[in-house]
Amino acid sequence: MTNLEKYTNVFVETLQVNAEQCEKLKYQGVELWDSVGHMTLVAAIEDVFDIMLDTDDIIDFSSFEKGKEILKKYDIEF
Amino acid sequence: MQLNYNQILEYQADRYPYLFFDKILQVGEGKAIGVKNLTQNEWFFPVHFPGDPCMPGFLQAEALTQVCALNILTMAGNKGKQVLLLSCEKLRLFQKVRPGDVMMLETDLVSYRHGIAKGRGRATVDGKLVCSCEMTFTLSDSEERRALTPKI
Protein backbone atom coordinates (compact mmCIF):
# COMPACT_ATOMS: atom_id res chain seq x y z
CA MET A 1 0.00 0.00 0.00
CA THR A 2 1.40 3.42 -0.95
CA ASN A 3 1.66 6.29 1.52
CA LEU A 4 -1.13 8.08 -0.33
CA GLU A 5 -3.39 5.05 0.04
CA LYS A 6 -2.59 4.78 3.75
CA TYR A 7 -3.18 8.50 4.21
CA THR A 8 -6.45 8.42 2.29
CA ASN A 9 -7.65 5.37 4.23
CA VAL A 10 -7.25 7.25 7.50
CA PHE A 11 -9.63 9.93 6.25
CA VAL A 12 -12.06 7.38 4.82
CA GLU A 13 -12.23 5.40 8.05
CA THR A 14 -12.13 8.29 10.51
CA LEU A 15 -14.43 10.72 8.72
CA GLN A 16 -16.65 8.18 6.93
CA VAL A 17 -16.12 9.73 3.48
CA ASN A 18 -15.39 8.27 0.05
CA ALA A 19 -11.82 8.26 -1.22
CA GLU A 20 -12.96 10.50 -4.09
CA GLN A 21 -14.07 13.18 -1.63
CA CYS A 22 -10.77 13.36 0.20
CA GLU A 23 -8.82 15.75 -2.04
CA LYS A 24 -11.20 18.61 -1.32
CA LEU A 25 -11.73 17.88 2.36
CA LYS A 26 -11.19 20.71 4.81
CA TYR A 27 -11.55 21.02 8.57
CA GLN A 28 -15.26 21.28 9.41
CA GLY A 29 -16.06 20.46 5.77
CA VAL A 30 -17.90 17.35 6.91
CA GLU A 31 -19.79 16.79 10.12
CA LEU A 32 -17.29 14.31 11.56
CA TRP A 33 -14.27 16.59 11.10
CA ASP A 34 -14.92 18.63 14.22
CA SER A 35 -12.55 19.14 17.15
CA VAL A 36 -12.97 15.53 18.30
CA GLY A 37 -12.66 14.20 14.76
CA HIS A 38 -9.55 16.30 14.22
CA MET A 39 -7.72 14.72 17.12
CA THR A 40 -8.95 11.26 16.17
CA LEU A 41 -7.59 11.89 12.69
CA VAL A 42 -4.25 13.10 14.05
CA ALA A 43 -3.97 10.09 16.36
CA ALA A 44 -4.72 7.71 13.48
CA ILE A 45 -2.16 9.38 11.19
CA GLU A 46 0.46 9.18 13.94
CA ASP A 47 -0.28 5.47 14.35
CA VAL A 48 -0.24 4.66 10.65
CA PHE A 49 3.03 6.50 9.91
CA ASP A 50 4.63 5.97 13.33
CA ILE A 51 5.31 9.65 13.87
CA MET A 52 4.51 12.31 16.46
CA LEU A 53 3.22 15.56 15.03
CA ASP A 54 4.35 18.85 16.53
CA THR A 55 1.72 21.07 18.11
CA ASP A 56 2.01 23.72 15.36
CA ASP A 57 1.56 21.08 12.69
CA ILE A 58 -1.59 19.73 14.35
CA ILE A 59 -3.07 23.23 14.36
CA ASP A 60 -2.02 23.86 10.73
CA PHE A 61 -3.47 20.54 9.58
CA SER A 62 -6.57 22.20 8.13
CA SER A 63 -7.20 20.14 5.00
CA PHE A 64 -6.37 16.87 3.27
CA GLU A 65 -3.91 18.65 0.97
CA LYS A 66 -2.32 20.68 3.77
CA GLY A 67 -1.82 17.48 5.68
CA LYS A 68 0.19 16.01 2.82
CA GLU A 69 2.48 19.07 2.88
CA ILE A 70 2.94 18.74 6.62
CA LEU A 71 3.76 15.04 6.46
CA LYS A 72 6.56 15.70 3.99
CA LYS A 73 8.38 17.38 6.89
CA TYR A 74 8.32 13.96 8.56
CA ASP A 75 9.93 12.32 5.51
CA ILE A 76 6.67 10.87 4.28
CA GLU A 77 6.62 11.15 0.50
CA PHE A 78 3.49 11.01 -1.63
CA MET B 1 -5.14 6.50 45.35
CA GLN B 2 -8.33 4.61 46.28
CA LEU B 3 -11.86 5.94 45.72
CA ASN B 4 -15.07 5.04 47.51
CA TYR B 5 -18.46 5.45 45.88
CA ASN B 6 -18.97 9.07 46.92
CA GLN B 7 -15.49 10.01 45.72
CA ILE B 8 -16.18 8.27 42.41
CA LEU B 9 -19.20 10.53 41.93
CA GLU B 10 -16.98 13.57 42.40
CA TYR B 11 -14.54 12.52 39.72
CA GLN B 12 -16.77 11.24 36.95
CA ALA B 13 -20.12 12.14 35.42
CA ASP B 14 -21.83 8.76 34.92
CA ARG B 15 -24.59 7.98 37.36
CA TYR B 16 -26.75 5.01 38.33
CA PRO B 17 -28.01 3.10 36.42
CA TYR B 18 -25.16 3.78 33.99
CA LEU B 19 -22.29 3.64 36.42
CA PHE B 20 -20.69 0.23 36.26
CA PHE B 21 -18.30 0.02 39.18
CA ASP B 22 -18.65 0.39 42.93
CA LYS B 23 -15.18 1.27 44.13
CA ILE B 24 -11.69 1.93 42.90
CA LEU B 25 -8.88 -0.03 44.49
CA GLN B 26 -6.17 1.90 42.70
CA VAL B 27 -5.87 4.80 40.29
CA GLY B 28 -2.62 6.46 39.32
CA GLU B 29 0.57 6.01 37.34
CA GLY B 30 -1.37 4.89 34.29
CA LYS B 31 -3.30 2.13 35.98
CA ALA B 32 -6.83 1.97 37.40
CA ILE B 33 -8.48 -1.02 39.04
CA GLY B 34 -12.17 -1.05 39.88
CA VAL B 35 -14.67 -3.49 41.36
CA LYS B 36 -18.23 -4.14 40.24
CA ASN B 37 -20.49 -6.21 42.50
CA LEU B 38 -23.33 -7.62 40.44
CA THR B 39 -26.61 -8.22 42.24
CA GLN B 40 -29.88 -9.69 41.02
CA ASN B 41 -31.24 -6.12 41.12
CA GLU B 42 -29.18 -4.85 38.17
CA TRP B 43 -31.57 -3.26 35.66
CA PHE B 44 -30.35 -5.34 32.74
CA PHE B 45 -30.72 -8.80 34.26
CA PRO B 46 -34.52 -9.07 33.89
CA VAL B 47 -34.27 -8.29 30.18
CA HIS B 48 -30.90 -9.83 29.29
CA PHE B 49 -32.12 -12.53 29.38
CA PRO B 50 -35.35 -13.67 31.08
CA GLY B 51 -34.45 -16.91 32.82
CA ASP B 52 -30.77 -16.63 31.86
CA PRO B 53 -29.51 -13.36 33.37
CA CYS B 54 -26.05 -12.23 32.25
CA MET B 55 -24.38 -8.84 31.90
CA PRO B 56 -24.43 -7.53 28.31
CA GLY B 57 -20.95 -7.68 26.80
CA PHE B 58 -20.91 -4.09 25.70
CA LEU B 59 -21.73 -2.96 29.24
CA GLN B 60 -18.64 -4.86 30.37
CA ALA B 61 -16.63 -2.84 27.85
CA GLU B 62 -18.34 0.31 29.13
CA ALA B 63 -17.36 -0.64 32.69
CA LEU B 64 -13.72 -1.01 31.62
CA THR B 65 -13.86 2.33 29.82
CA GLN B 66 -15.35 4.09 32.83
CA VAL B 67 -12.62 2.75 35.08
CA CYS B 68 -9.86 3.52 32.59
CA ALA B 69 -11.17 7.08 32.20
CA LEU B 70 -10.40 7.75 35.85
CA ASN B 71 -6.74 7.84 34.85
CA ILE B 72 -7.59 11.09 33.06
CA LEU B 73 -10.35 12.39 35.31
CA THR B 74 -8.06 12.36 38.34
CA MET B 75 -5.59 14.66 36.58
CA ALA B 76 -5.66 18.31 37.63
CA GLY B 77 -8.49 20.25 36.01
CA ASN B 78 -10.42 17.22 34.72
CA LYS B 79 -12.48 16.34 37.78
CA GLY B 80 -16.14 15.67 36.95
CA LYS B 81 -15.86 16.09 33.18
CA GLN B 82 -17.81 13.94 30.73
CA VAL B 83 -16.00 11.20 28.83
CA LEU B 84 -16.70 10.50 25.17
CA LEU B 85 -15.90 7.01 23.91
CA LEU B 86 -14.42 7.25 20.40
CA SER B 87 -13.70 3.63 19.66
CA CYS B 88 -13.71 0.23 21.27
CA GLU B 89 -11.58 -2.37 19.57
CA LYS B 90 -10.56 -5.97 20.02
CA LEU B 91 -13.55 -6.59 22.29
CA ARG B 92 -13.43 -10.19 23.43
CA LEU B 93 -16.01 -11.85 25.66
CA PHE B 94 -15.03 -15.13 27.24
CA GLN B 95 -17.80 -16.20 29.59
CA LYS B 96 -21.10 -15.01 31.03
CA VAL B 97 -21.14 -12.63 34.00
CA ARG B 98 -23.94 -13.58 36.39
CA PRO B 99 -25.82 -12.14 39.39
CA GLY B 100 -23.60 -12.58 42.45
CA ASP B 101 -20.36 -12.26 40.51
CA VAL B 102 -17.69 -9.78 41.56
CA MET B 103 -16.04 -8.33 38.50
CA MET B 104 -12.50 -6.97 38.77
CA LEU B 105 -11.86 -4.26 36.20
CA GLU B 106 -8.16 -3.78 35.49
CA THR B 107 -7.16 -1.05 33.06
CA ASP B 108 -4.02 0.56 31.71
CA LEU B 109 -3.70 3.96 30.13
CA VAL B 110 -1.59 3.26 27.04
CA SER B 111 -1.24 6.87 25.90
CA TYR B 112 -2.69 10.31 26.43
CA ARG B 113 -1.77 12.85 23.78
CA HIS B 114 -3.56 15.86 22.30
CA GLY B 115 -6.50 15.19 24.64
CA ILE B 116 -7.03 11.70 23.19
CA ALA B 117 -6.60 8.76 25.55
CA LYS B 118 -5.96 5.18 24.57
CA GLY B 119 -6.37 2.40 27.06
CA ARG B 120 -6.83 -1.30 27.43
CA GLY B 121 -8.75 -3.29 29.97
CA ARG B 122 -9.44 -6.78 31.19
CA ALA B 123 -12.28 -7.90 33.41
CA THR B 124 -12.09 -11.00 35.55
CA VAL B 125 -14.46 -12.95 37.79
CA ASP B 126 -12.88 -15.28 40.35
CA GLY B 127 -9.57 -14.81 38.57
CA LYS B 128 -10.96 -15.91 35.20
CA LEU B 129 -10.88 -13.54 32.25
CA VAL B 130 -14.41 -12.62 31.13
CA CYS B 131 -13.84 -9.60 28.89
CA SER B 132 -11.00 -7.63 27.32
CA CYS B 133 -10.87 -4.66 24.98
CA GLU B 134 -8.95 -1.60 23.86
CA MET B 135 -10.62 1.78 23.94
CA THR B 136 -10.03 5.34 22.76
CA PHE B 137 -11.76 8.22 24.50
CA THR B 138 -11.61 11.93 25.11
CA LEU B 139 -13.16 14.47 27.43
CA SER B 140 -16.15 16.34 26.04
CA ASP B 141 -14.71 19.54 27.47
CA SER B 142 -11.02 19.30 26.66
CA GLU B 143 -9.11 22.57 26.58
CA GLU B 144 -6.06 20.77 25.21
CA ARG B 145 -8.00 19.31 22.29
CA ARG B 146 -9.71 22.62 21.55
CA ALA B 147 -6.39 24.47 21.52
CA LEU B 148 -5.03 22.10 18.89
CA THR B 149 -7.79 22.45 16.30
CA PRO B 150 -7.20 24.47 13.11
CA LYS B 151 -8.15 28.12 13.22
CA ILE B 152 -10.46 28.91 10.32
Side-chain angles (χ1 to χ4, degrees):
Chain A
M1 191 181 283
T2 66
N3 282 340
L4 182 59
E5 287 170 333
K6 289 181 192 173
Y7 180 70
T8 303
N9 276 352
V10 171
F11 282 77
V12 168
E13 290 177 9
T14 306
L15 303 179
Q16 299 291 298
V17 294
N18 298 322
E20 297 74 35
Q21 290 175 266
C22 286
E23 273 186 23
K24 293 181 180 175
L25 271 182
K26 292 183 176 173
Y27 177 64
Q28 293 188 343
V30 291
E31 189 178 2
L32 289 182
W33 197 351
D34 57 6
S35 70
V36 174
H38 187 63
M39 301 320 304
T40 308
L41 194 63
V42 166
I45 287 169
E46 289 183 334
D47 280 349
V48 166
F49 293 108
D50 195 20
I51 56 173
M52 291 177 75
L53 294 173
D54 292 336
T55 300
D56 288 345
D57 290 330
I58 294 171
I59 295 169
D60 287 343
F61 203 118
S62 57
S63 70
F64 180 87
E65 287 300 320
K66 184 69 181 176
K68 283 162 64 179
E69 279 177 38
I70 288 169
L71 291 188
K72 285 177 184 170
K73 290 168 36 181
Y74 296 82
D75 297 328
I76 294 162
E77 297 298 328
F78 291 96
Chain B
M1 175 168 60
Q2 295 186 342
L3 300 176
N4 62 30
Y5 193 77
N6 285 335
Q7 291 169 317
I8 289 167
L9 297 181
E10 290 176 24
Y11 278 100
Q12 61 91 61
D14 288 302
R15 293 291 182 267
Y16 174 85
Y18 210 75
L19 177 56
F20 296 110
F21 57 98
D22 303 308
K23 64 179 176 181
I24 292 294
L25 301 179
Q26 175 194 335
V27 57
E29 299 177 353
K31 187 176 281 292
I33 301 173
V35 179
K36 170 63 178 168
N37 294 300
L38 290 127
T39 74
Q40 180 65 44
N41 293 327
E42 304 291 347
W43 60 269
F44 42 80
F45 281 145
V47 289
H48 190 280
F49 299 96
D52 184 23
C54 56
M55 185 176 186
F58 209 77
L59 293 186
Q60 296 175 43
E62 173 68 22
L64 287 168
T65 301
Q66 289 181 0
V67 171
C68 192
L70 281 169
N71 283 299
I72 309 302
L73 293 168
T74 50
M75 292 177 181
N78 290 342
K79 196 174 190 178
K81 288 186 176 176
Q82 292 177 15
V83 174
L84 301 178
L85 179 63
L86 300 176
S87 72
C88 183
E89 295 167 350
K90 299 181 183 176
L91 174 60
R92 297 282 311 276
L93 300 159
F94 298 93
Q95 67 180 58
K96 290 181 176 176
V97 177
R98 303 287 198 182
D101 284 346
V102 177
M103 194 161 58
M104 297 292 295
L105 303 156
E106 300 178 29
T107 67
D108 294 299
L109 183 66
V110 176
S111 67
Y112 183 49
R113 297 190 65 230
H114 320 317
I116 301 288
K118 293 184 179 184
R120 62 172 163 253
R122 52 198 309 278
T124 59
V125 172
D126 295 332
K128 291 182 180 172
L129 187 64
V130 295
C131 172
S132 64
C133 67
E134 296 178 1
M135 65 293 265
T136 304
F137 53 91
T138 186
L139 302 179
S140 62
D141 178 21
S142 168
E143 289 171 18
E144 182 182 9
R145 194 186 65 237
R146 214 168 16 243
L148 288 170
T149 53
K151 306 296 179 276
I152 58 170

